[in-house]
Amino acid sequence: MATTLRDAFSVTRLSFWAGALLSSLVGSLLYIVTAHSIEGDAETRFVNHARHAQSVISVRVKSYTDLLRAAGSMLQSTDIMTHRRFHEYVRGLDLPRNYPAVDSMNFAAWVTESDRVAFMDDLREEMQRHLGKDVQLEISPPGLRPYYLAMAYFEPDPKNPALYGIDLATNRYFSRQLMESRDQGTLYASGTPIPALSTPNNIYLGMRAPIYRFGMPVNDVEQRRAAYVGSLGIAFNLPKLLNGVIDEVPIKGLRMTLYDIGAGMDAAGRDVTGRPLALFDSRGTTRDPTPALDSGDDVFTTTLPLDFNGRPWKTIYSVHKSALYTEFDTYYPKLMMAFGFLGSILLYALLHTLTSSRRAALSLAQEMTSELRESQTKLQLSHQKLRRLADHAYQIKEIERKRIAREIHDDLGQSLLALRIEAELLAGRTKGTHSHLHKRARATLLQIDATIKSVRQIINDLRPTVLDLGLSAAVEWQVNQFQRRTGIQCEIQDDHGEIALPDHCATAFFRILQESLTNIVRHANATRV
């Protein structure tokens, strides 16, 4: 007895620890799955917000590109352009309010060596009229060259007039890019900082568009070179362009770092010296314009491409995961772990209780199975009896309908026929002598005909007498009646000839045909049957 109790106690203790271990595993699994699910949802929201910010940047870049194109179209729409007209056009744009990031807009004229002296004389004279004082201007850097791309217009007016006459073509790399822009008729975007304007984490960028002479064709490279008159450009401040993009993203602590990875840069945004060159960093300062990028398991990071008029950029967005978690997200995995543990314990206890009573359940199930089989047998017998009873009732109904139809046909039909004969004789005898009586006799005759027709319809509804001629004849008659009543074209295909069937089977078949034709009229919208 003591041994039995000890064994039972050992088994119970083993089952308890097994259940506790299983419940702990289930709770841990639910914790991991819930935590991963919450993290995945947070990362999806982060990526969607980053893509929205990227689209806002693209829209802003496009608006500044459209500004350059519109100004270029203005220059190309006239054959005479003066500094005063250019000044009034730019002033009308109201750059500080409509394009706050644009620092300046300028035009550099294409001048050959043969036209250099005349160009500089005209530029000095125009600047003297514009500034109201004598200004000594020269193309800089000095020296004779086959061609020049000299700065002719500059808005807003610079404090230093020496900016006029600067030759952009002296920069070998810059000049090559501008010549490609001229030959292709496309915008040129450097994507790299303008040294004269940029400071750490306060980058200025430029875009330039080729300008062609009014009215000249520009269909191929040679025509573009012949029509080329200069280059229109804008310089804009990148932090001002991106100002407010971060504010539109409802994530606290979001960091945005913009890199140029075009020509002269590698995929990590480093120049030829290996230094990373960030065009913009939302956490950058003057002392540390490009802090180290956020990394680690507690940070969400995504990199999105950006096209700056043909020059590739990349934007890295990063944020700490905690910025996207709510207080509920923090406690939810723990709640799921507790729920999994307790639920598993209860389920395990239930299964253990059910297992201990398995034999009693099996015995009860066998007894119930035997009773169920007996009940099924009785139910099948009942179904068979009901089926026979329903068939018998149907046959009785059809026999009764057949009897009533024949009695109506034999008795009422004969009476109506005799009555019609008498009425027809009366109508014939009173035709020429009693017009009023003849009219009443004819009306009575028509009423008798209508009654005979109704009686025939009632007989056919009860049991068509045409069934006595055979099933094929009954089918053909019913189809003809359907076609005459509905106007639907019908075709009978009967390759078997007359089929001998018992009377009750032929009647059932005929009823099925009637119901089928009725359903065709109600639901099929058919034109041919």
Side-chain angles (χ1 to χ4, degrees), residues 86-147:
F86 185 75
H87 175 78
E88 293 299 329
Y89 173 78
V90 176
R91 189 180 68 170
L93 293 175
D94 196 2
L95 296 179
R97 185 176 68 177
N98 298 320
Y99 304 93
V102 174
D103 182 75
S104 63
M105 179 178 293
N106 58 77
F107 174 72
W110 176 259
V111 182
T112 60
E113 173 58 29
S114 58
D115 298 329
R116 179 177 62 86
V117 175
F119 168 77
M120 291 305 301
D121 291 341
D122 293 339
L123 180 61
R124 295 188 193 101
E125 182 179 353
E126 189 171 357
M127 290 306 300
Q128 184 175 1
R129 288 196 303 269
H130 180 65
L131 299 178
K133 60 181 180 179
D134 188 14
V135 179
Q136 298 299 323
L137 299 177
E138 294 292 342
I139 292 180
S140 61
L144 300 180
R145 293 178 287 276
Y147 59 84

Side-chain angles (χ1 to χ4, degrees), residues 22 52 56 85 92 249 258 275 292 294 309 447 466 511:
L22 179 62
H52 171 71
V56 172
R85 183 176 297 177
V249 180
L258 181 65
R275 295 179 305 171
D294 297 332
N309 292 299
Q447 185 65 32
V466 72
R511 298 300 183 196

Side-chain angles (χ1 to χ4, degrees), residues 502-515:
D503 185 67
H504 68 281
C505 292
T507 302
F509 185 91
F510 186 78
R511 298 300 183 196
I512 292 173
L513 174 63
Q514 286 182 322
E515 186 65 23

Side-chain angles (χ1 to χ4, degrees), residues 352-366:
H352 187 270
T353 303
L354 293 175
T355 303
S356 64
S357 58
R358 182 173 178 272
R359 291 181 181 180
L362 287 176
S363 176
L364 179 61
Q366 290 176 355

Side-chain angles (χ1 to χ4, degrees), residues 338-356:
F339 173 77
F341 180 80
L342 295 176
S344 300
I345 282 288
L346 294 176
L347 182 61
Y348 181 80
L350 177 62
L351 291 176
H352 187 270
T353 303
L354 293 175
T355 303
S356 64

Side-chain angles (χ1 to χ4, degrees), residues 26 28 42 168 249 268 299 304 355 390 420 458 500 502:
V26 172
S28 301
L168 302 182
V249 180
V299 174
L304 300 177
T355 303
R420 187 185 188 286
I458 293 172

